[in-house]
Amino acid sequence: MENKVCKKCQKPLPEGYKHKKCESCRNAQVQGVKNGLKATAGVAGVVASFAVVIVTKGKVNPKK
């Protein structure tokens, strides 16, 4: 039987392991996706707030 290794870090994988990347590399990839989604949500929030200001022509006053 061949020895499987992680595609990214070349770490040997256990026999019968069904993924091509080790657990550490898979977790790093998931964390990167989560961080990207958080950044996208932040940018979307800023764009939405600017859109509200533009549509209402700045007449929204949250202090009232």
Side-chain angles (χ1 to χ4, degrees), residues 39-52:
T40 303
V43 170
V46 170
V47 169
S49 64
F50 278 125
V52 167

Side-chain angles (χ1 to χ4, degrees), residues 8 15 21 25 27 30 37-38 42-43 53:
K8 188 171 181 180
E15 254 185 70
K21 293 182 182 175
C25 291
N27 287 338
V30 168
L37 289 174
K38 287 178 188 176
V43 170
V53 170

Side-chain angles (χ1 to χ4, degrees), residues 48-64:
S49 64
F50 278 125
V52 167
V53 170
I54 291 170
V55 168
T56 61
K57 297 178 183 168
K59 294 182 180 179
V60 173
N61 190 357
K63 294 181 181 176
K64 283 189 174 180

Side-chain angles (χ1 to χ4, degrees), residues 27-37:
N27 287 338
Q29 181 180 12
V30 168
Q31 190 62 44
V33 170
K34 284 182 179 180
N35 290 342
L37 289 174

Side-chain angles (χ1 to χ4, degrees), residues 4 14 16-20:
K4 289 177 72 175
Y17 195 70
K18 61 183 178 178
H19 303 287
K20 293 182 180 182

